[in-house]
Amino acid sequence: MLTLGPDDILLGRHADSWQTALDSAAEALVEAGLVEAEYRDGLHAREAQSSTFLGNAIAIPHGTPESRQFVKQTGVRVLQFPQGVKWHDGQLVHVLVTIAAQNDEHLDILRQLTHVLDREGVSEQLANASSAADVARLLSKTVVEPRLDADTLCVNFPARDPQELALAAAARLRQSGCVDNSFITAIASAQPTWLGKGLWLASSSQGVNQPALGVATPAEQALQSDGHSVHALFCLATQGDAHRPLLEQLMALLDTGASDTLLKSSSAQLLAQLAGETASTQTRRVRVLNPHGLHARPAKQLVQVARAQSIAINVRLEEGSATPVSAASLTKVIGLGARRGQWLVLSAEGEQASSSLEAVAEAVESGLGEKVTPFDGGFGSTQEASTSTPAVEPLAADTPHTGVAASPGLAIAPVFVIRPMQFEYAEHASDAEHEIKRLDSALKEGAAQLHTLVHNAPGGEVADILSMHEEMLDDPELHHAATDAIREGRSAEAGWWDAIETAAHAQEMLADRLLAERAADLRDVGRRVLGVLCDVTLPEPPDHPYILVMDDIGPSDVARLDTSRVRGLLTVRGGATAHSAILARALGIPAVVGAGQAVMALNNASMMILDGDRGRVTTQPSEERLQRAEQQLLDQQQREADAWESRFEIAQTRDGHRVEVAANLGNTAHAADAVERGAEGVGLLRTEFLFMAYASAPDLATQIGEYRQAIEALEGRPLVARTLDVGGDKPLPYWPVPQEDNPFLGLRGIRLALTQPEVLETQLRALLMASKDSPLRIMLPMVKDIAEFRAVKVIYDRLLQEIPTSQRATDVQLGVMIEIPSSALLAPSLAAEVDFFSVGTNDLTQYTLAIDRGHPELSAQADGLHPAVLRLIQMTVAAAHTQGKWVGVCGELASDAVAIPVLVGLGVDELSVSARQIPLVKARLREFDFADAQASAQLALSQATSDEVRDALETR
Ligand code: PEP
Ligand code: MG
């Protein structure tokens, strides 16, 4: 917003000529400390290009782009000339709004001034104003612009009724800053109204910062509520009568009667329909190429071309807003605030529509009087690293560089750096049918490639992701969007990529981080097809072992990897939750992600040591460091082979202290594999992953079937099943959680489960009925104190009464996870009532150290060996053992070779780790005596930081 203080406004100026007026404006900027004196020449140079007169006696002098180097700070100085100054284009100017802008901020200032241009009599008022406050008031009148744009849409939301759609749309408005939480509360407490024709409305004026219209469409096509179909829900944030234009758009949509077309519409299509574009409306998309967007000069040209046509032409921002404006109105066109790279949608109706739209589009494409270059931004950031990547310092030789540890293990090999692919293609093509044929055959080729990859995929998760890619490729919506664009004159490549970008963008807007990450999958699929269309193939990797370095590794890149040659993965971007990291772990390839741009500057074939446990890489290591690492690697390989040989031995320390070693699973089908790897049970079944595999909550019979699969594979070994842990970093699409400022501190885990006790009850019942004779341990996630445990215990006890003993588990225990510091601090009160504890060190560390476990930069510091976390574990074990209860650890720390003796020394009874790690953890236990472990624990507890703990343990 243009906020002007009294110091920004200089009244009662006089100038004999426009040049002297400009000079005094320049001086005012210098005096205010906003610019260097040289900026004056930039103001004159800009004026020499064309007049900055805006209208209503206002001119907005600003420097040329070259003169921005003289701007010290962005700001504005307003000079009032009561007698007026004759400007060089013949206009009379009373006010100079002189801008010092480092970037394109002047576009925003311009936008905010457009309201002044529409008002009659303003020039006289500005000329006669006798106080700075009056001028400020005239210029900075707050214009409340109602909001309806891509950010307020939520398409294909997996809702079960209009109420859930209303909450999703309200959450989107909250995210866009239009409303606050009280709006969501108001929407949650009222039932949406049926408007007719499949349309529903929810509205409130509570907590509204800006009037806005949120729109949510359901994923399910045949959704019904109260006997009416549900095609779209409108969530209106009302404010005075400022939301009226939105209401009018809504009414217009109701009048057209075609609401079922809203279903399955992409964001762009939805905006088009809300903009009133019907079958009889002709449209033409055109991209703004001007380096500084549609500022006054190019906007004027556009308006002139539009006015020269015989019919009315409207224009809107494709992604920005669903409100079209007249292309013949300068203020309205400037008000769009269109920037370089954004798409405009020109629309018109009638016989001349096509030729008129073409004329305006051509003018835009040719730069509206400015020199323009083609837009490469669709790919700019990823496809042209060599030109768009800022210069970065290369990694120093023989010096460890830290990233995020994503998959454990040590790798030593030369690097192979894959730079982002470049695709070159024409944006437009005239023969749409030919382009569609090209696209279709590229899609077929892409599908065939994926099919082969799925077939050859090394592991379940890899195959799952590639199959998901196959489905994405088959999505009729993507195909429609692409062919529609091609029929509008886009080439096969451009049409396809537009469709991919639109869909990926919509995905990114989802509140859930994990769902949003699927945008990377969409782009990955998109690039595969683009590669076929542009005949671009990936560079051939070397035929010797190497460490692969990429900007970010897409799932299909991982699947393509020849695991016999790829020793390690290193990426610029990505966090530990990215798909590439998950896949690297599944394939057992050591990986470090999020290591920053510097790694792209590595020379191919330079030697590297990659430590996936510590998240460190060292390039060009010294001979000594290399030898040490090679020895370490040999030792590690030998250890792995020995560990595999003895994986079925009982898990215990060298002197026979028993510590159970169990597996962490997210899929009951993997229980047999865990047993084959030596698991003595399942120590953590993450049942939310099992729920995620279904489109809606699995019913009792389905759940019994799932749990039984694991129980049977375990052949009498215990199963520790965790009840649903949804929320935070684990979204469940059909259990939407309202947008929260801080979901990790919000409605998640057991808190969320208790909001729908019937779901929890079905799960408990299914677990109890699936087990019968096998040992069953049920644990509750994210418990903060005994009250939550008791709330579940009531249901659990009732079920034990209700289900006949012959039909349910008898060897059953109910425990809690210790992953919130409060529960560790209160362990004595919990231990008195629960049957066992399992420490979730991932969350316990996150909450104790206040570091988001998925944070791309900080998560490396979230080390569970921090003495603060260890003290909490110590308290937990002491409290449990006093009451004769057992304690497991099921977070990642349980498989950390350095941490294992410490955990055992603290008295932990069970370690639950990923199945791959089981043989190694068992082998690690055999390397020390219990007394050593106790000494390690004491040593660790006496340190002050996690680094000190690790150093002390390493030198012990
Ligand atoms: C933990 O928090 O340590 C844990 C095991 O649970 P999850 O990783 O599933 O949150
Ligand atoms: Mg957890």
Side-chain angles (χ1 to χ4, degrees):
M1 244 245 303
L2 180 61
T3 42
L4 294 169
D7 292 348
D8 302 328
I9 297 169
L10 309 168
L11 295 176
R13 294 291 169 125
H14 172 80
D16 295 332
S17 67
W18 68 271
Q19 288 96 335
T20 47
L22 206 53
D23 286 346
S24 41
E27 269 164 38
L29 291 179
V30 174
E31 269 168 30
L34 300 176
V35 299
E36 314 271 6
E38 291 89 337
Y39 192 68
R40 172 199 170 275
D41 299 339
L43 291 176
H44 280 271
R46 172 63 187 81
E47 218 62 48
Q49 289 170 356
S50 73
S51 167
T52 62
F53 177 79
L54 201 60
N56 251 347
I58 304 172
I60 50 154
H62 50 276
T64 55
E66 298 75 44
S67 63
R68 284 182 189 168
Q69 56 175 312
F70 303 118
V71 174
K72 295 201 272 189
Q73 197 191 325
T74 295
V76 174
R77 277 294 173 276
V78 177
L79 282 75
Q80 181 210 38
F81 296 88
Q83 279 101 49
V85 180
K86 187 137 188 264
W87 213 243
H88 55 95
D89 58 0
Q91 303 286 349
L92 187 69
V93 168
H94 281 296
V95 166
L96 289 185
V97 179
T98 319
I99 303 168
Q102 278 159 333
N103 295 307
D104 283 340
E105 293 101 333
H106 71 282
L107 266 186
D108 290 330
I109 295 172
L110 202 56
R111 224 176 133 187
Q112 289 159 32
L113 286 173
T114 53
H115 70 93
V116 191
L117 308 184
D118 281 341
R119 294 196 333 253
E120 280 191 11
V122 168
S123 39
E124 294 79 35
Q125 290 174 29
L126 282 170
N128 299 328
S130 55
S131 74
D134 282 348
V135 174
R137 189 179 40 75
L138 284 165
L139 292 181
S140 28
K141 174 178 167 264
T142 317
V143 194
V144 186
E145 283 183 29
R147 185 117 180 242
L148 165 59
D149 55 35
D151 289 347
T152 68
L153 305 183
C154 180
V155 296
N156 288 338
F157 189 78
R160 288 168 301 187
D161 53 38
Q163 179 71 3
E164 284 186 4
L165 283 176
L167 284 174
R172 194 47 50 87
L173 295 182
R174 160 82 185 68
Q175 227 175 339
S176 309
C178 301
V179 301
D180 64 23
N181 284 340
S182 60
F183 179 82
I184 296 188
T185 314
I187 292 294
S189 57
Q191 284 302 318
T193 315
W194 183 62
L195 296 176
K197 298 180 181 168
L199 304 182
W200 296 72
L201 177 71
S203 75
S204 172
S205 59
Q206 273 207 21
V208 176
N209 308 321
Q210 183 185 10
L213 185 63
V215 186
T217 58
E220 203 204 308
Q221 303 288 294
L223 192 62
Q224 293 272 329
S225 180
D226 293 339
H228 304 299
S229 37
V230 184
H231 295 159
L233 180 133
F234 296 90
C235 183
L236 188 63
T238 65
Q239 195 177 58
D241 64 356
H243 58 277
R244 182 169 298 224
L246 298 172
L247 213 50
E248 281 162 9
Q249 273 179 274
L250 194 51
M251 290 310 163
L253 190 73
L254 257 177
D255 284 347
T256 64
S259 77
D260 53 342
T261 53
L262 297 176
L263 277 173
K264 284 216 114 192
S265 281
S266 63
S267 300
Q269 290 162 336
L270 204 59
L271 286 176
Q273 292 178 68
L274 289 162
E277 288 160 21
T278 61
S280 62
T281 313
Q282 296 204 34
T283 58
R284 168 75 154 87
R285 297 163 80 242
V286 61
R287 191 167 229 161
V288 177
L289 300 175
N290 304 64
H292 307 296
L294 281 191
H295 58 97
R297 206 153 30 107
K300 251 187 213 172
Q301 287 244 4
L302 190 151
V303 168
Q304 277 163 7
V305 182
R307 284 184 187 158
Q309 309 306 314
S310 54
I311 52 167
I313 295 181
N314 283 336
V315 57
R316 66 180 175 86
L317 278 180
E318 184 179 60
E319 276 286 293
S321 167
T323 315
V325 299
S326 165
S329 157
L330 179 61
T331 55
K332 295 280 192 285
V333 171
I334 291 176
L336 291 173
R339 294 174 191 273
R340 174 172 162 82
Q342 286 191 300
W343 288 96
L344 301 177
V345 179
L346 305 168
S347 57
E349 294 195 12
E351 263 179 37
Q352 307 292 317
S354 171
S355 55
S356 299
L357 292 178
E358 208 45 48
V360 179
E362 263 174 30
V364 174
E365 276 165 354
S366 57
L368 297 165
E370 289 189 330
K371 194 166 173 299
V372 292
T373 50
F375 187 74
D376 51 19
F379 293 113
S381 55
T382 54
Q383 312 302 315
E384 300 192 348
S386 50
T387 51
S388 62
T389 307
V392 283
E393 283 288 304
L395 298 187
D398 194 35
T399 311
H401 170 80
T402 307
V404 176
S407 176
L410 190 66
I412 306 169
V415 295
F416 172 56
V417 187
I418 297 190
R419 324 253 171 220
M421 281 191 275
Q422 301 222 11
F423 299 108
E424 278 175 16
Y425 53 82
E427 294 268 330
H428 302 287
S430 50
D431 186 348
E433 289 316 309
H434 173 67
E435 295 299 297
I436 290 172
K437 270 197 197 122
R438 286 183 59 229
L439 175 63
D440 286 346
S441 86
L443 286 170
K444 256 197 208 129
E445 168 61 23
Q449 288 178 3
L450 279 169
H451 195 70
T452 315
L453 286 170
V454 173
H455 194 250
N456 300 337
E461 275 163 281
V462 175
D464 285 353
I465 288 172
L466 289 169
S467 306
M468 179 176 89
H469 282 200
E470 265 189 301
E471 270 170 38
M472 284 177 169
L473 208 54
D474 219 19
D475 183 350
E477 200 185 319
L478 267 183
H479 191 256
H480 280 152
T483 49
D484 281 356
I486 293 173
R487 291 210 168 89
E488 283 170 20
R490 310 280 288 154
S491 65
E493 292 88 346
W496 169 248
W497 190 256
D498 288 349
I500 288 285
E501 267 302 307
T502 308
H505 187 62
Q507 192 80 21
E508 274 164 350
M509 312 236 294
L510 295 176
D512 290 318
R513 192 172 55 192
L514 285 189
L515 289 181
E517 270 186 11
R518 298 297 83 88
D521 289 291
L522 262 169
R523 293 196 174 98
D524 204 18
V525 171
R527 275 193 288 270
R528 173 178 300 284
V529 175
L530 215 47
V532 178
L533 282 168
C534 301
D535 207 13
V536 173
T537 43
L538 274 179
E540 267 304 298
D543 54 10
H544 53 74
Y546 59 90
I547 290 173
L548 182 62
V549 184
M550 285 179 82
D551 181 60
D552 197 2
I553 298 185
S556 54
D557 298 315
V558 177
R560 254 197 305 261
L561 299 181
D562 175 353
T563 39
S564 65
R565 272 187 270 156
V566 177
R567 292 284 186 271
L569 297 175
L570 172 62
T571 65
V572 173
R573 292 188 284 161
T577 55
H579 242 155
S580 41
I582 296 169
L583 288 174
R585 284 197 286 273
L587 293 173
I589 301 175
V592 173
V593 299
Q597 274 297 341
V599 303
M600 290 307 281
L602 285 166
N603 287 327
N604 261 343
S606 57
M607 193 49 123
M608 167 167 284
I609 301 173
L610 180 147
D611 183 344
D613 295 282
R614 296 176 152 217
R616 293 207 308 215
V617 291
T618 312
T619 181
Q620 296 167 269
S622 64
E623 198 49 40
E624 194 198 336
R625 191 190 289 270
L626 195 60
Q627 272 178 14
R628 253 199 336 259
E630 275 166 353
Q631 189 54 49
Q632 221 179 318
L633 188 60
L634 280 178
D635 293 348
Q636 185 181 308
Q637 285 164 348
Q638 189 57 50
R639 256 204 320 276
E640 276 172 19
D642 293 346
W644 183 254
E645 278 296 298
S646 46
R647 66 192 184 282
F648 293 124
E649 284 179 18
I650 189 166
Q652 56 188 3
T653 60
R654 193 163 52 195
D655 59 338
H657 174 80
R658 180 85 170 98
V659 179
E660 224 167 282
V661 175
N664 287 351
L665 295 186
N667 184 338
T668 50
H670 295 170
D673 172 65
V675 171
E676 176 49 28
R677 290 173 187 274
E680 298 179 315
V682 166
L684 166 63
L685 175 64
R686 290 180 162 107
T687 59
E688 58 278 2
F689 288 114
L690 186 149
F691 272 59
M692 279 176 205
Y694 293 88
S696 58
D699 61 14
L700 182 70
T702 313
Q703 285 193 55
I704 292 179
E706 282 276 1
Y707 304 136
R708 213 163 259 168
Q709 187 171 12
I711 288 161
E712 282 167 8
L714 285 172
E715 296 174 327
R717 297 173 183 84
L719 165 70
V720 183
R722 176 172 76 188
T723 58
L724 262 183
D725 184 13
V726 175
D729 57 342
K730 300 192 197 82
L732 191 57
Y734 48 87
W735 196 339
V737 180
Q739 175 71 21
E740 294 172 313
D741 276 348
N742 199 334
F744 279 98
L745 302 181
L747 205 50
R748 59 169 305 195
I750 199 66
R751 299 170 195 162
L752 182 64
L754 283 168
T755 65
Q756 287 197 34
E758 65 286 358
V759 178
L760 185 63
E761 179 170 333
T762 305
Q763 182 172 32
L764 293 173
R765 190 185 289 275
L767 282 165
L768 289 169
M769 292 178 68
S771 294
K772 301 235 180 86
D773 309 322
S774 307
L776 173 69
R777 318 282 173 245
I778 300 174
M779 68 180 172
L780 314 177
M782 303 295 302
V783 168
K784 73 172 188 316
D785 57 33
I786 193 68
E788 285 161 338
F789 173 80
R790 285 182 187 149
V792 181
K793 182 89 171 17
V794 171
I795 305 173
Y796 171 82
D797 284 341
R798 179 164 50 74
L799 289 174
L800 289 184
Q801 293 298 318
E802 267 175 39
I803 311 169
T805 327
S806 59
Q807 290 175 26
R808 64 159 170 87
T810 44
D811 179 1
V812 54
Q813 298 180 356
L814 185 65
V816 296
M817 290 199 64
I818 301 291
E819 47 187 351
I820 301 182
S822 64
S823 63
L825 293 164
L826 296 172
S829 62
L830 281 156
E833 297 184 35
V834 307
D835 293 326
F836 68 95
F837 289 140
S838 184
V839 185
T841 49
N842 306 338
D843 278 315
L844 187 61
T845 308
Q846 142 166 287
Y847 293 121
T848 305
L849 303 184
I851 295 179
D852 178 345
R853 61 193 265 188
H855 195 291
E857 279 112 48
L858 295 178
S859 60
Q861 283 182 51
D863 187 348
L865 265 186
H866 196 285
V869 179
L870 297 178
R871 280 175 194 229
L872 292 173
I873 300 177
Q874 183 190 33
M875 294 167 85
T876 305
V877 175
H881 286 182
T882 306
Q883 299 283 345
K885 311 289 167 68
W886 63 273
V887 181
V889 171
C890 61
E892 293 303 307
L893 195 66
S895 56
D896 181 330
V898 181
I900 290 170
V902 176
L903 295 175
V904 172
L906 288 172
V908 166
D909 306 287
E910 178 230 40
L911 298 172
S912 191
V913 302
S914 74
R916 264 183 180 274
Q917 300 287 330
I918 286 172
L920 283 169
V921 172
K922 282 179 146 183
R924 179 75 182 108
L925 287 172
R926 290 189 289 268
E927 286 174 2
F928 56 84
D929 293 331
F930 187 47
D932 293 340
Q934 286 177 313
S936 294
Q938 286 315 314
L939 181 66
L941 285 169
S942 66
Q943 307 301 315
T945 67
S946 51
D947 282 347
E948 281 180 21
V949 171
R950 287 197 182 270
D951 287 346
L953 292 171
E954 261 172 36
T955 51
R956 194 172 166 253

